[in-house]
């Protein structure tokens, strides 16, 4: 530990961190622009100037940039010193000379880091009276709006886009005193993480074009903590609503999961919630006639209850995109033996295999573990398509081993420009084994091409090279030399990670990945393993179900009285012929969903369920982390959460009067149903939680226009909806401080209106949130490695239809000699 004196107040902190990071972690308000916790320091903006003193006798001091100076024991600085204060004020004034006076019409207004820093430095009046420098804006695609005149040349955009996300179609162009950030010509940004420019940019240069389409001031959005539904990683997001429609998605910081960023699919893929074909009423089709619509929950539930009462034998089909609570509710309604996972047998078995592996001797890797690994092996997954944020973290992991050279030369890891100058294009060991080229190939020092079977055999060969017992019963001589090289790199690493998944639908690939990780663990390596899964609650569904769709179709379930399908399009899961067989064997079909699809169109009754933005629930992600999401607004009736609909039907059937409609009670039922789910009741505070006697406000204190929003219907101000299911309120009335990390609806702190306010909620800048990051891990390693290796007998389970290649591995450690197939 080191002692640092800030304006003669002593603090203890970690030696080696930069002064800016330490000041922010200690709660001081020191302005900055170019620095970002995930991007490091380059000293480009000169905004974080402080006065540094040699010792307590030094009364003169000297100006330093806080982001470029490490903390040493005895460091003395002043933020209040007149010279540094005036310097920071002058820097803002220089930056603002060409910045337009357009805050009232700027999309960033009210959530602008530049506004916050301008106020923080005390720059109140402008003296610049000359013409401002202007630029032509570019078309960057349908997602990102470009307004170059607002740029303050902080370089954050290109540092994120080119250095961190490693895109190549955005750059900085300069001539004398003109600096331009954009593409070499108009065109759609190609990087899968371009949407993060919206949050990384401290001004209004890059803004969310999808929000601009239905523009709303940032302080007028109702927000709630949520979880992304577009893949199985469980990235944390903040959903924003206005006028009963979802308006935008922001990343919600989670140190263990997505960190500061999310992919474009998660940020911009929300419009399905507002889709014109959204199911807004319930309906029943009688004798093939026109649908009869019902516009109240009571009518919908009553009609469904009548149907259930007439058909005592029920079959339930769950869904990997429905919450844990909704799947449990359906299972409880129809009975355990009549509940089927809404996925095919291959996917069902692979998910079971993954859960078996993740309770083995090796830790299930979080995204944080992946980005801190110093060697990575990817078996059979095109991560950019199946799990984009994991692909981004693999790119980060590829830099970790070369960065150790910086430590040997006493270059701190946060000194981004110096570290990159030292590393140049050097990468750590990353091997990509896939049937076809992927976007991650450019960072791999070894590439293997082969069909699914050859990738599996290659994996077992690596395991055998690490530990002869791990090779199983197969003979892997065809890959002996190449596997030995990879095994050596993994053994040389301190924190290797093994990545695989379900894309190739090959169980042996998963077993090979497990054997490699277990063999490394047996050799004493701090190894972790992770698997991608297809959907947001694939893991939760598999934990809930013992039977797949393929068990239902041919299992003699003929003449089923009633089939209930939960948020699932069966035509995407099994063949059309199998769906037709189910339809013929079912007396009636009830479907709960929120969008029209072919399965909805074949239903006898449709019940309108809420999307993730209109529901409360729990998802379990790829690593086995259970996370809670909350509804951001109350939908128009009769839309309800699926679990609530089903619990109503169960109450009618059991004549219990709806005793299970309380969300907390329902979570307790789920937790008590399975020992593995016991801890989900502790993911977030219960609905009765209060902070200073208040609920947590979903709307900021500046929220305005509540009366005007409904003036077309009535002049009087309506009462805000109540929320009995959570400790959050649907209004600005409530607590606006620092709630528990799992229920933070937005990041705001006095003087910090932009997303940069997250530093006020962290234990230390870039570290976990105060109180711990959201979510609870359900899988932890429990048994020792040894004779538990998978056998790896490829001959018994050869799959067909895959492209045939020799899978031959060539070359050494350079990109030019990368492993390729012939």
């Amino acid at each position: 530990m080191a002692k640092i004196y800030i304006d003669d107040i002593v603090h203890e902190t970690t030696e080696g961190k930069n002064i800016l990071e330490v000041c922010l972690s200690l709660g001081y308000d020191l302005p900055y622009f170019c620095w970002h916790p995930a991007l490091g320091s380059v000293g480009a903006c000169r905004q974080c100037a402080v006065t540094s003193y040699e010792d307590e006798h030094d009364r003169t001091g000297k100006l330093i940039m806080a982001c470029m100076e490490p903390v040493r024991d005895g460091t003395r600085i002043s933020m209040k010193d007149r010279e540094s204060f005036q310097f920071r004020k002058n820097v803002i004034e220089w930056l603002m000379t060409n910045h337009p006076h357009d805050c009232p019409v700027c999309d960033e207004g009210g959530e602008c880091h530049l506004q916050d820093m301008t106020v923080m430095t005390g720059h109140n009046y402008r003296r610049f009276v000359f013409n401002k420098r202007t630029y032509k804006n570019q078309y960057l695609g349908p997602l990102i709006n470009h307004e170059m005149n607002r740029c303050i040349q902080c370089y954050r955009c290109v540092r994120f886009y080119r250095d961190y996300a490693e895109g190549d179609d955005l750059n900085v162009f300069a001539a004398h005193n003109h600096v331009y950030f954009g593409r070499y010509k108009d065109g759609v940004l190609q990087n899968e993480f371009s949407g993060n420019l919206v949050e990384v940019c401290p001004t209004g240069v890059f803004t969310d074009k999808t929000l601009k389409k239905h523009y709303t001031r940032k302080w007028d959005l109702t927000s709630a903590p949520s979880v992304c539904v577009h893949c199985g990683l469980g990235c944390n997001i903040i959903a924003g609503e206005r006028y009963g429609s979802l308006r935008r998605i922001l990343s919600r910081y989670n140190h263990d999961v997505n960190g500061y960023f999310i992919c474009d699919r998660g940020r911009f893929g929300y419009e399905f919630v507002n889709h014109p074909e959204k199911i807004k009423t319930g309906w029943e089709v009688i004798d093939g006639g026109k649908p009869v619509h019902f516009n109240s929950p009571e009518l919908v539930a009553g009609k469904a209850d009548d149907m259930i009462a007439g058909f005592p034998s029920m079959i339930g089909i769950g869904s990997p995109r429905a919450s844990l609570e909704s799947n449990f509710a359906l299972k409880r309604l129809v009975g355990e033996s009549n509940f089927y996972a809404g996925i095919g047998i291959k996917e069902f078995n692979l998910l079971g295999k993954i859960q078996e592996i993740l309770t083995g001797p090796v830790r299930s890797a979080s995204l944080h573990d992946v980005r801190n690994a110093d060697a990575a092996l990817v078996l059979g997954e095109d991560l950019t398509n199946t799990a984009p944020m994991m692909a981004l973290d693999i790119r980060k992991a590829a830099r970790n081993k070369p960065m150790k050279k910086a430590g040997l030369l006493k270059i701190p890891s946060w000194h981004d420009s110096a570290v990159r100058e030292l590393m140049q294009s050097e990468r750590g060991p990353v091997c990509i084994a896939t049937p076809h080229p992927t976007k991650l190939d450019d960072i791999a020092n070894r590439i293997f091409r082969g069909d699914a079977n050859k990738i599996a055999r290659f994996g077992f060969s690596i395991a055998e090279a690490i530990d002869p017992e791990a090779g199983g019963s197969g003979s892997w001589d065809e890959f002996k030399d190449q596997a030995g090289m990879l095994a050596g790199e993994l053994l040389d690493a301190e924190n290797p990670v093994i990545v695989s998944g379900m894309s190739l639908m090959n169980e042996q690939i998963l077993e090979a990945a497990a054997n490699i990780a277990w063999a490394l663990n047996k050799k004493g390596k701090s190894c972790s393993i992770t698997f991608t899964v297809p959907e947001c609650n694939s893991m939760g569904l598999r934990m809930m179900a013992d039977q797949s769709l393929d068990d239902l179709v041919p299992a003699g379930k003929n003449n089923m009285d009633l089939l209930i399908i939960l948020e699932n399009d069966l035509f995407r899961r099994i063949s059309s012929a199998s769906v037709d067989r189910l339809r013929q064997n079912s007396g009636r079909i009830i479907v709960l969903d929120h969008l029209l699809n072919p399965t909805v169109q074949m239903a006898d009754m449709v019940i309108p369920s809420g999307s993730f933005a209109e529901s409360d629930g729990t998802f379990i992600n790829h690593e086995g982390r259970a996370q809670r999401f909350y509804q951001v607004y109350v939908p128009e009736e009769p839309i309800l959460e699926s679990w609530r609909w089903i619990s109503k039907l169960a109450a009618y059937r059991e004549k219990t009067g709806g005793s299970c409609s309380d969300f907390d009670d329902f979570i307790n039922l789920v937790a008590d149903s399975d020992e593995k789910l016991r801890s989900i009741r502790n993911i977030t505070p219960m609905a009765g939680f209060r902070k200073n006697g208040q609920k947590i406000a979903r709307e900021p204190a500046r929220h305005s226009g509540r009366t005007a929003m409904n003036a077309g219907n009535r002049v009087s101000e309506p009462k805000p909806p109540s929320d009995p299911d959570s400790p959050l309120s649907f209004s600005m009335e409530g607590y606006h401080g620092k709630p528990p990390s799992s229920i933070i609806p937005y990041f705001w702190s006095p003087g910090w209106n932009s997303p940069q306010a997250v530093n006020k909620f962290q234990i230390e800048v870039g570290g976990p949130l105060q109180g711990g990051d959201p979510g609870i891990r359900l899988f932890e390693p429990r048994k020792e490695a040894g004779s538990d290796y998978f056998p790896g007998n490829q001959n018994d389970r050869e799959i067909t239809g895959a492209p045939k290649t020799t899978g031959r591995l060539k070359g050494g450690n350079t990109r030019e000699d990368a492993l390729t197939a012939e």
Side-chain angles (χ1 to χ4, degrees):
M1 299 295 286
K3 288 184 178 180
I4 180 174
Y5 297 83
I6 303 176
D7 289 309
D8 296 325
I9 299 175
V10 63
H11 301 274
E12 284 196 351
T13 186
T14 304
E15 189 168 1
K17 293 188 174 183
N18 68 65
I19 293 174
L20 172 60
E21 182 180 351
V22 169
C23 288
L24 294 174
S25 296
L26 292 172
Y28 289 93
D29 291 340
L30 183 59
Y32 62 89
F33 287 117
C34 65
W35 177 82
H36 187 281
L39 306 180
S41 304
V42 292
C45 70
R46 323 306 288 172
Q47 186 58 70
C48 61
V50 295
T51 302
S52 173
Y53 300 96
E54 290 290 335
D55 52 40
E56 66 271 23
H57 304 296
D58 184 359
R59 293 291 179 265
T60 304
K62 63 178 180 179
L63 281 177
I64 61 169
M65 300 305 121
C67 72
M68 299 299 290
E69 286 289 330
V71 169
R72 302 178 179 88
D73 190 36
T75 295
R76 289 179 176 270
I77 64 163
S78 173
M79 294 167 51
K80 299 179 181 178
D81 176 77
R82 185 179 181 279
E83 183 180 13
S84 59
F85 179 84
Q86 189 60 45
F87 185 90
R88 295 194 296 269
K89 187 174 180 180
N90 290 343
V91 169
I92 279 283
E93 187 170 23
W94 302 333
L95 293 175
M96 297 294 283
T97 54
N98 287 294
H99 191 82
H101 299 203
D102 66 344
C103 294
V105 298
C106 178
D107 294 358
E108 196 76 357
E111 202 176 74
C112 177
H113 186 62
L114 176 60
Q115 286 179 331
D116 292 346
M117 300 300 99
T118 303
V119 173
M120 193 178 294
T121 57
H123 174 59
N124 300 322
Y125 297 96
R126 298 194 181 191
R127 297 181 293 168
F128 189 76
V129 296
F130 306 100
N131 291 334
K132 290 182 178 289
R133 186 175 55 217
T134 58
Y135 297 97
K136 177 184 175 182
N137 301 320
Q138 288 186 318
Y139 171 76
L140 299 179
L143 306 177
I144 305 292
N145 190 66
H146 188 233
E147 180 57 70
M148 185 58 205
N149 291 328
R150 297 173 182 151
C151 183
I152 59 169
Q153 294 84 45
C154 72
Y155 285 83
R156 268 198 194 180
C157 57
V158 293
R159 291 181 60 220
F160 168 78
Y161 197 91
R162 297 188 68 85
D163 296 343
Y164 194 95
E166 300 189 351
D168 59 6
D169 60 323
L170 181 83
N171 212 334
V172 54
F173 306 91
H176 46 90
N177 68 331
H178 292 273
V179 181
Y180 191 91
F181 297 87
R183 302 183 85 249
Y184 73 100
K185 66 177 181 179
D186 286 15
V188 179
L189 289 172
Q190 297 299 304
N191 191 271
E192 294 78 14
F193 310 97
S194 62
N196 290 291
L197 295 174
V198 171
E199 293 184 59
V200 167
C201 176
T203 72
V205 178
F206 299 98
T207 52
D208 186 339
K209 191 176 284 189
T210 66
L211 174 63
K212 194 180 186 72
K213 184 172 64 178
H214 37 214
Y215 182 67
T216 299
R217 280 298 188 187
K218 309 295 178 63
W219 59 79
D220 281 338
L221 287 168
T222 301
S223 301
S226 193
V227 177
C228 182
V229 298
H230 294 291
C231 76
L233 296 182
C235 294
N236 288 200
I237 58 174
I238 295 172
E241 173 269 350
R242 180 75 166 175
Y243 292 110
S245 68
L246 195 57
R247 298 297 177 92
R248 75 160 180 183
I249 298 293
L250 284 181
S251 64
R252 178 164 61 106
Y253 180 82
N254 188 320
H255 180 257
D256 282 341
V257 185
N258 54 294
Y260 289 91
F261 308 120
I262 55 175
C263 73
D264 286 1
R265 189 189 307 170
R267 185 180 299 276
F268 301 116
Y270 66 87
E271 288 285 9
F272 73 92
V273 177
N274 309 318
H275 199 279
E277 294 186 352
K278 182 178 180 180
I279 301 171
K280 297 183 179 180
T281 63
W283 72 76
E284 182 180 13
V285 179
I286 302 175
D287 297 329
K290 291 185 177 181
V292 179
H293 289 261
F294 310 108
N295 291 312
S296 75
E298 291 74 19
L299 277 174
V300 175
K303 289 292 182 180
D305 180 53
D306 291 342
M307 187 176 292
I308 288 177
F311 298 96
S313 174
M314 294 184 293
I315 296 294
I317 296 178
S319 171
R321 60 178 170 90
S323 68
L324 198 66
E325 292 79 7
S326 296
N327 281 292
F328 174 79
L330 181 57
K331 179 180 177 179
R332 184 168 174 265
L333 175 66
V334 302
E336 184 172 350
S337 62
N338 291 329
F339 178 73
Y340 293 82
I343 53 178
I345 186 66
K346 282 188 176 181
E347 185 175 338
F348 182 85
N349 289 338
L350 290 172
L351 286 168
K353 178 65 68 173
I354 287 173
Q355 292 182 10
E356 176 189 349
I357 293 169
L358 295 186
T359 55
V362 171
R363 173 184 168 85
S364 169
S366 66
L367 288 180
H368 177 263
D369 296 325
V370 174
R371 60 180 167 266
N372 282 283
D374 55 355
L377 169 62
V378 181
L379 279 181
E381 281 299 302
D382 181 357
L383 292 179
T384 307
N385 284 315
T386 61
M389 282 301 298
M390 191 179 291
L392 183 63
D393 289 333
I394 290 289
R395 289 188 178 276
K396 180 73 167 59
R399 299 183 62 228
N400 289 334
K401 188 169 184 178
M403 282 183 68
K404 294 176 182 178
K405 293 181 179 179
L408 296 175
L409 296 175
K410 308 297 183 183
I411 301 174
S413 60
W414 47 260
H415 199 316
D416 192 63
S417 56
V419 171
R420 290 187 182 278
E421 183 68 22
L422 174 68
M423 289 172 49
Q424 298 293 320
S425 59
E426 186 178 354
R427 306 281 188 178
V430 174
C431 177
I432 309 291
T434 54
H436 55 79
T438 73
K439 280 198 169 183
L440 277 182
D441 289 352
D442 64 320
I443 65 164
N445 68 317
R446 301 188 185 278
I447 296 171
F448 178 84
R449 295 282 181 258
D451 61 29
N453 292 319
K454 287 184 171 58
I455 290 173
R457 293 204 295 272
F458 177 51
F460 280 113
S461 182
I462 298 169
E464 187 176 54
I466 298 170
D467 179 5
E469 295 181 8
S473 58
S475 176
W476 320 115
D477 290 342
E478 58 184 313
F479 305 123
K480 183 176 181 180
D481 294 338
Q482 304 93 323
M485 292 187 292
L486 285 173
E489 291 178 344
L490 293 172
L491 286 168
D492 286 342
E494 295 179 6
N495 299 296
V497 64
I498 312 302
V499 179
S500 190
M502 299 171 51
S503 295
L504 298 181
M505 289 293 173
N506 186 295
E507 187 174 306
Q508 292 253 294
I509 291 178
L510 306 183
E511 294 177 348
N515 279 13
I516 295 169
W518 295 351
L520 288 169
N521 179 73
K522 189 176 178 181
K523 294 293 184 180
K525 299 285 63 170
S526 179
C527 178
S528 57
I529 187 169
T530 190
F531 299 95
T532 65
V533 295
E535 296 180 62
C536 55
N537 200 33
S538 292
M539 295 288 272
L541 175 67
R542 183 60 182 86
M543 293 177 72
M544 194 69 63
D546 297 321
Q547 304 169 94
S548 73
L549 274 178
D550 292 274
D551 295 316
L552 173 62
V553 176
K557 295 281 185 179
N558 297 321
N559 302 317
M560 293 178 289
D561 290 336
L562 182 64
L563 181 63
I564 303 177
I565 302 172
L566 172 66
E567 299 183 33
N568 208 335
D569 182 6
L570 301 186
F571 290 92
R572 297 184 60 192
R573 310 293 180 182
I574 52 179
S575 67
S576 297
S578 296
V579 178
D580 290 340
R581 196 175 310 132
L582 278 179
R583 181 72 186 93
Q584 293 165 6
N585 292 339
S586 304
R588 304 297 293 274
I589 295 178
I590 296 178
V591 173
L592 297 92
D593 218 324
H594 49 264
L595 278 180
L596 286 176
N597 60 53
T599 301
V600 170
Q601 292 169 344
M602 76 176 190
D604 297 297
M605 184 171 187
V606 175
I607 299 177
S609 67
S611 66
F612 78 96
E614 302 156 317
S615 306
D616 303 323
T618 306
F619 291 147
I620 299 177
N621 77 346
H622 71 111
E623 63 165 313
R625 182 184 299 270
Q627 300 182 106
R628 188 75 33 80
F629 61 94
Y630 288 105
Q631 61 182 158
V632 66
Y633 65 98
V634 179
E636 296 180 6
E637 291 185 342
I639 298 173
L640 298 174
E641 298 103 319
S642 292
W643 65 264
R644 196 182 298 278
W645 277 122
I646 299 170
S647 66
K648 281 179 178 290
L649 300 180
Y652 287 148
R653 180 171 182 161
E654 299 166 9
K655 310 301 182 188
T656 60
S659 62
C660 291
S661 61
D662 182 271
F663 188 53
D664 285 352
D665 289 345
F666 212 81
I667 290 173
N668 287 328
L669 284 175
V670 179
D672 292 338
S673 69
D674 191 327
E675 181 66 33
K676 297 189 294 291
L677 301 174
R678 191 77 65 192
S679 60
I680 69 163
R681 56 166 58 92
N682 302 319
I683 297 173
T684 59
M686 292 297 193
F689 174 83
R690 299 292 183 271
K691 189 79 170 180
N692 294 349
Q694 299 174 300
K695 281 197 163 195
I696 311 303
R698 281 180 172 90
E699 298 170 356
R702 300 174 295 162
H703 193 276
S704 63
R706 191 161 67 195
T707 303
M709 286 172 65
N710 297 279
N713 301 321
R714 54 186 173 181
V715 176
S716 62
E717 181 176 327
K719 180 182 178 180
S722 61
D723 186 1
D725 295 326
S726 80
L728 302 166
S729 69
F730 286 109
S731 70
M732 70 177 107
E733 287 81 22
Y735 182 73
H736 293 282
K738 297 177 183 177
S741 59
S742 58
I743 53 173
I744 297 173
Y746 53 84
F747 292 107
W748 177 88
S749 185
W752 296 81
N753 298 290
S754 77
Q756 313 297 321
V758 68
N759 75 75
K760 297 294 184 181
F761 293 78
Q762 297 167 319
I763 297 174
E764 60 179 5
V765 171
L769 293 172
Q770 296 172 15
D773 289 306
I776 291 178
R777 286 170 54 96
L778 304 181
F779 300 149
E780 295 295 346
R782 279 183 278 185
K783 56 184 180 180
E784 296 298 325
S787 59
D788 294 329
Y789 290 126
F790 291 107
N793 188 348
Q794 193 73 16
N795 297 326
D796 294 337
R797 286 179 277 183
E798 185 82 14
I799 64 170
T800 60
K804 296 296 181 181
T805 63
T806 63
R808 188 176 170 192
L809 207 65
K810 298 185 354 182
N813 292 325
T814 65
R815 278 293 304 153
E816 293 76 11
D817 294 329
L819 289 79
T820 56
E822 291 184 342

